Amino acid sequence: MKALDSHYIIDGREMDATPREILSALCQDQPAGNTSPEPGQEDIIDEAADPQPGNGYFEPTLAKSYAKAVASTKRESFPLCYSGSLSRLAVARGLLEALFKEGHFKLGDLRPQADWIWNEAPIGSMAAFYESVSWACEYMDNLGVKLGGYSLAPGAANSLQIRCDTVASLPGEDTLFEESPFITPDAHIGKALKTSPLAIPSKGDWIIYIPFDTCRYRLGGSLLAQATGKEGGKSPDVTDADYFIDCYEVVRELVEDGVAVAGTPVADGGLYTALYKFIGNKAFTADIASVARAAEEEDITKLLFGEIPGVLIQIKDYDFDYIDAELLLQDVAYYPLGQLSGADGALTLDTSGSALKGILISLMDNASEGED
């Protein structure tokens, strides 16, 4: 296909490799799909699209109505100027969806299938496709993840879908010593989920938020910007692969050990959208004050809808100290958002920190009484 096999000249600069060469370098085995090279393609000359500055104010008091709008919104297409950042988000989302599946595997065992659908006609579209491929592959390479296969199909919109249905096969004897630290000998992944995808109405259970990147919360390219028709400005700079690896390892252990009884990725739509879907019709007050302090973010809307990869997990109250010790040991930041009441109700937000402070004081009082 022309888009895969041509050499690219973008903004007057010749790219070092074709998209197929970039993708093939990340494939451990022969990739599946429409990947047979077609040599002799003409050069593709295009210009990259630049993000527009933010052109609208998002009202923090409308967070709930924003969440309803975003929860029912599907990404229509990658805006050309955000194709790279949204491709990294797509990679993270696919890996996070696999995180909660049955089986026994580590991050490096996964062999994702990357499927692009792309509209090659508009000006800037081919530059955006090249950026999508290069940014996605660079991110996966930094994560230590090899591709199982890839495909490209024409379409009216631009998108990247990452599916993680397979794991690495065992290496041969000649590479066993070199590969064994990164390959699980009995790795396997199931189709079913190990944890519930929705919060379970169990009184006293904690909802924990764990972001998988250390970048700032931004709204460029977000579903909130799409749903409201506003430009969000810059997109989150999701690049901290080392931190993602640390987070993935510890949360995967919690899932396999049954400590996480429910869980869901935080990706498209951000934290509030994931919470809104995860909590459903259960009464829950989410205390996000500690998240705001740690992120040094005064704009609550960015915090709630900025699309930084992460997870929400539900744990039992008696596992809280264990979770605290494990995550601190791995130097992974986590944020207890509150405890479930076990009753039906609605999701509410507390930005003052008073809700969580009351819970912690109560727990300390109970511990003191027990010690006496």
Side-chain angles (χ1 to χ4, degrees):
M1 298 181 67
K2 179 180 179 181
L4 285 173
D5 297 302
S6 297
H7 286 90
Y8 283 66
I9 300 174
I10 300 174
D11 294 337
R13 185 167 65 91
E14 185 174 356
M15 301 295 103
D16 293 333
T18 67
R20 190 185 302 282
E21 289 170 340
I22 296 172
L23 289 160
S24 297
L26 200 62
C27 288
Q28 182 187 40
D29 304 311
Q30 180 64 33
N34 57 342
T35 57
S36 299
E38 297 180 11
Q41 299 287 356
E42 295 181 358
D43 291 344
I44 291 177
I45 303 174
D46 204 359
E47 298 178 1
D50 295 323
Q52 297 297 316
N55 66 353
Y57 172 71
F58 296 95
E59 174 56 58
T61 60
L62 298 179
K64 190 170 184 178
S65 61
Y66 286 156
K68 288 181 179 179
V70 173
S72 60
T73 299
K74 291 185 178 181
R75 200 176 300 281
E76 296 172 354
S77 180
F78 286 3
L80 299 183
C81 58
Y82 298 115
S83 64
S85 58
L86 289 178
S87 296
R88 284 181 183 155
L89 182 66
V91 169
R93 181 181 63 245
L95 297 173
L96 292 173
E97 289 171 350
L99 177 62
F100 296 104
K101 288 186 176 182
E102 291 182 340
H104 178 56
F105 58 87
K106 297 178 181 178
L107 178 62
D109 296 311
L110 296 173
R111 293 295 178 263
Q113 168 75 25
D115 298 315
W116 276 269
I117 297 177
W118 216 262
N119 181 357
E120 301 178 5
I123 296 175
S125 182
M126 299 310 296
F129 174 70
Y130 193 92
E131 183 176 88
S132 175
V133 170
S134 59
W135 284 36
C137 288
E138 179 185 40
Y139 189 47
M140 282 187 277
D141 187 45
N142 290 338
L143 291 171
V145 174
K146 295 289 187 180
L147 271 176
Y150 61 91
S151 69
L152 170 63
N158 305 325
S159 67
L160 168 60
Q161 181 69 33
I162 300 291
R163 296 182 289 110
C164 297
D165 300 321
T166 59
V167 294
S169 57
L170 282 174
E173 292 183 2
D174 57 335
T175 59
L176 183 58
F177 179 79
E178 180 183 352
E179 298 283 353
S180 58
F182 308 102
I183 302 295
T184 305
D186 57 345
H188 59 281
I189 186 171
K191 294 182 179 180
L193 293 173
K194 173 75 173 179
T195 59
S196 170
L198 301 175
I200 301 168
S202 179
K203 184 177 181 180
D205 284 9
W206 286 89
I207 303 297
I208 309 290
Y209 168 49
I210 306 174
F212 275 42
D213 201 281
T214 56
C215 64
R216 295 193 65 83
Y217 292 82
R218 294 170 176 167
L219 295 174
S222 66
L223 283 180
L224 176 61
Q226 178 183 308
T228 58
K230 299 178 180 180
E231 295 288 347
K234 292 183 179 180
S235 59
D237 188 19
V238 177
T239 56
D240 198 341
D242 290 339
Y243 189 71
F244 189 103
I245 293 169
D246 292 340
C247 294
Y248 204 97
E249 179 180 0
V250 67
V251 175
R252 181 59 200 171
E253 289 181 1
L254 298 177
V255 171
E256 288 198 25
D257 293 342
V259 178
V261 297
T264 190
V266 176
D268 297 67
L271 172 59
Y272 197 178
T273 305
L275 258 178
Y276 183 80
K277 294 179 179 180
F278 188 55
I279 296 300
N281 63 350
K282 304 163 195 65
F284 182 70
T285 298
D287 190 325
I288 62 169
S290 60
V291 188
R293 285 195 301 270
E296 299 180 347
E297 183 56 71
E298 296 181 358
D299 188 338
I300 297 300
T301 310
K302 288 183 180 179
L303 188 75
L304 295 175
F305 297 98
E307 296 175 343
I308 293 179
V311 297
L312 292 167
I313 59 172
Q314 177 181 348
I315 64 167
K316 295 295 181 183
D317 183 48
Y318 53 72
D319 281 325
F320 187 90
D321 288 343
Y322 172 74
I323 291 287
D324 180 65
E326 283 294 303
L327 296 180
L328 287 177
L329 181 65
Q330 298 294 331
D331 202 21
V332 169
Y334 76 100
Y335 304 95
L337 300 183
Q339 289 179 289
L340 291 165
S341 68
D344 291 341
L347 171 65
T348 57
L349 289 179
D350 176 22
T351 59
S352 67
S354 59
L356 189 58
K357 183 178 180 180
I359 293 174
L360 295 176
I361 290 175
S362 176
L363 290 174
M364 292 173 64
D365 289 345
N366 289 337
S368 298
E369 292 173 5
E371 291 171 359
D372 293 340

